[in-house]
Amino acid sequence: MTASVAVAATVAALAAPAMARTADQDPAVQGRQIKIGRDHPDVRVPFVVKRSGEALVDLTAAAPGTDWAVKGAESAVVSIFVDNRYATDLVVSGDQRLSRQLALGALRAGPHLLRLHFADERSAAGSASVLLDRVKVTTYAPGGSDYLALRYAPVVYGRNLSDLGTPYQNATTDTPLIAWHEAKPGTAPGRTKLTYSVVWSNEDGGTNTPALMARWGRTTDIEWVYDVEVDERGNRVPGSDTYQAANHQTLRFAGRYEGDHALLETCTSNNNMCDKVSDPMRFFLSPLRTRPADQPREHMMDTDPWTYQIMAKEMIREGKIEAASETAPATPEVSDQRNYLYVAIKKTTDRPNTGSSWVGVSIGVRLRSGGTVYLSNHVDPTWSIQRDDPAATTVELPPGTTADDIQEITANRVVVGTDNGAVVHVTGVKRGFFLGQDYLPQQSFLTWDGDVTVDAGTPSAVIWRR
């Protein structure tokens, strides 16, 4: 059984370095605001762990005067220390308070101290402070799946490629946003394989922006970073851990551990890992959540909708959005990301579907106003959906299109290379939504379950009609 202890740690006064009191000591101060200021002493927050385990810190954070869409004003960074041990950086953008969850590593029972430092050199020059609310430390004791997932979570150091910015480039580009884990049976009876994945705000290399929208339904980068097998007692199987290295290779981990936490570094422009660390920034995101088996990886963004807002703002700041025009839906370049239908489908292909020749699916949308069918792959066969996991894509539509404007949605068989004769069954639409004016996902209006077949004789079929 998982055991947890939660202690709210808040500040009784904003002036640093006054010591905060824990909720156990004085519940009345719970929820008061912490202000971490530039050129001010670090804020120190004591808390008590009642039972040893792996610790997480939950908080809400805002950075007045910052905006991820504005060059030079992207973010403010707080470096978090536990008992003077560097735990993680927190990149904060905008004055809207966002809920975040970060890992702190293993903590013994007893008193501890959070130290919150405004990282001047990592923060936008115009940023002056970060405001934190509802700071809460929770420990997960040995004996449950949550503890196991937290025990082996990797620490991901940032990226410092000289041609992509400063040593603190993840404070302005391709910043890690959220993480999660998945647990599956290992390679032998009694073993469990834990896989850890991260969502970054974008990738400066790798798949180009239009293809990301068509093939993956977003311009964030989502990658698995590390996996490990544990035995029936929950101990690491020696030599079982691997990581996703440059060129998406899977390599054996040969780096250092901090306790049971593997230390990795983001060392390519498309956010692949190295197992030697030297970067000055450090990200220890909570991987506590897991992905439902029937959902695409993008579902993890859906549960943290602010990630879409950060995604869109990075595209604006980096000039990756084409100018508004009536012909924008006909071009492959990415337009305002509020113009897209974000849809996820479930499909299966009746034979192996890899190599240079394969059969994919594009999603088509026809509006009430006319006969044009807008395709997710922009008529590029290689931008269709190849994978049979639940998969996300987007369909670019005229500006201002709403759910009420959509007449029907089709699945279209797309051949890449030589037709291998594959038959594709589309069996579900998991969700469909637009982004609102604030770039946050609106409520999904589209779900469907069934079985529609597309093959060489019937290459297109309606899967939803108003």
Side-chain angles (χ1 to χ4, degrees):
M1 178 178 179
T2 300
S4 65
V5 176
V7 180
T10 53
V11 168
L14 297 184
M19 301 289 282
R21 301 171 68 188
T22 66
D24 278 354
Q25 294 168 325
D26 185 358
V29 304
Q30 184 171 350
R32 291 189 184 177
Q33 191 177 78
I34 300 173
K35 182 177 182 180
I36 302 101
R38 185 187 293 272
D39 301 325
H40 283 75
D42 295 348
V43 174
R44 291 169 169 81
V45 181
F47 64 98
V48 176
V49 169
K50 295 181 179 178
R51 190 173 178 189
S52 300
E54 290 288 327
L56 298 177
V57 59
D58 287 275
L59 50 82
T60 64
T66 62
D67 187 338
W68 198 249
V70 178
K71 185 175 179 60
E74 295 89 348
S75 71
V77 179
V78 174
S79 295
I80 300 176
F81 298 79
V82 182
D83 303 328
N84 288 321
R85 170 179 57 83
Y86 180 28
T88 185
D89 281 318
L90 173 63
V91 176
V92 186
S93 183
D95 55 11
Q96 176 186 356
R97 293 174 185 170
L98 297 176
S99 296
R100 303 294 300 274
Q101 187 178 72
L102 308 168
L104 300 177
L107 293 180
R108 294 174 180 256
H112 295 274
L113 186 71
L114 282 181
R115 178 163 62 87
L116 307 172
H117 169 72
F118 189 97
D120 302 56
E121 74 286 356
R122 308 174 191 198
S123 302
S127 62
S129 65
V130 172
L131 305 178
L132 304 183
D133 282 299
R134 296 191 292 276
V135 179
K136 182 177 72 172
V137 175
T138 305
T139 58
Y140 292 79
S145 58
D146 287 346
Y147 169 78
L148 202 63
L150 295 175
R151 177 181 173 183
Y152 295 104
V155 179
V156 175
Y157 281 75
R159 192 182 68 196
N160 58 9
L161 300 176
S162 58
D163 57 335
L164 292 176
T166 73
Y168 312 112
Q169 61 200 245
N170 283 136
T172 61
T173 185
D174 291 14
T175 196
L177 300 175
I178 55 175
W180 78 91
H181 81 281
E182 296 175 42
K184 296 181 179 179
T187 57
R191 291 185 182 181
T192 299
K193 183 177 182 179
L194 299 170
T195 301
Y196 297 87
S197 299
V198 173
V199 178
W200 285 265
S201 56
N202 187 225
E203 57 178 322
D204 286 327
T207 306
N208 66 50
T209 302
L212 280 173
M213 288 291 279
R215 294 172 57 196
W216 300 101
R218 31 80 183 178
T219 54
T220 56
D221 186 24
I222 302 179
E223 306 284 355
W224 77 271
V225 295
Y226 175 76
D227 61 26
V228 61
E229 287 198 11
V230 298
D231 62 23
E232 64 275 6
R233 294 181 299 275
N235 295 320
R236 178 188 293 107
V237 176
S240 69
D241 46 347
T242 66
Y243 67 99
Q244 185 174 184
N247 299 313
H248 302 289
Q249 300 178 86
T250 299
L251 298 182
R252 291 291 177 192
F253 180 76
R256 295 188 294 112
Y257 300 96
E258 187 176 279
D260 287 309
H261 304 286
L263 304 183
L264 295 165
E265 181 170 320
T266 312
C267 60
T268 72
S269 61
N270 62 333
N271 303 316
N272 289 163
M273 299 288 108
C274 293
D275 61 357
K276 303 294 185 289
V277 300
S278 62
D279 187 84
M281 294 193 77
R282 171 179 163 123
F283 299 91
F284 203 179
L285 301 175
S286 166
L288 188 61
R289 294 182 304 166
T290 191
R291 177 175 66 100
D294 64 341
Q295 293 288 349
R297 296 183 302 168
E298 292 73 20
H299 172 78
M300 307 309 292
M301 291 179 62
D302 299 349
T303 60
D304 268 301
W306 60 270
T307 57
Y308 284 91
Q309 188 179 66
I310 293 293
M311 172 190 84
K313 287 188 173 188
E314 187 156 334
M315 294 300 93
I316 293 168
R317 172 165 46 84
E318 294 185 351
K320 295 179 178 178
I321 301 300
E322 68 175 329
S325 73
E326 293 183 0
T327 61
T331 65
E333 288 76 18
V334 175
S335 69
D336 187 320
Q337 287 175 294
R338 294 170 294 191
N339 296 340
Y340 290 77
L341 173 66
Y342 292 75
V343 63
I345 67 167
K346 188 175 181 180
K347 73 178 183 71
T348 57
T349 308
D350 73 342
R351 66 197 64 191
N353 201 36
T354 59
S356 59
S357 294
W358 47 274
V359 171
V361 166
S362 69
I363 298 300
V365 173
R366 185 171 65 83
L367 304 181
R368 289 178 169 182
S369 58
T372 300
V373 176
Y374 300 92
L375 295 173
S376 60
N377 68 339
H378 276 287
V379 201
D380 184 328
T382 65
W383 288 2
S384 62
I385 302 171
Q386 181 180 15
R387 61 199 179 280
D388 275 348
D389 296 329
T393 185
T394 59
V395 183
E396 185 179 7
L397 299 169
T401 299
T402 68
D404 290 339
D405 296 323
I406 296 176
Q407 181 64 38
E408 66 179 21
I409 296 175
T410 58
N412 307 280
R413 185 175 183 269
V414 180
V415 175
V416 176
T418 302
D419 193 338
N420 63 13
V423 176
V424 182
H425 294 269
V426 180
T427 56
V429 177
K430 308 304 294 183
R431 49 83 162 151
F433 60 76
F434 291 97
L435 301 184
Q437 288 303 305
D438 54 6
Y439 296 99
L440 294 175
Q442 297 178 320
Q443 185 172 354
S444 173
F445 65 91
L446 180 60
T447 57
W448 168 82
D449 290 300
D451 190 349
V452 166
T453 299
V454 287
D455 55 27
T458 309
S460 182
V462 175
I463 59 175
W464 183 89
R465 179 179 285 123
R466 187 172 299 282

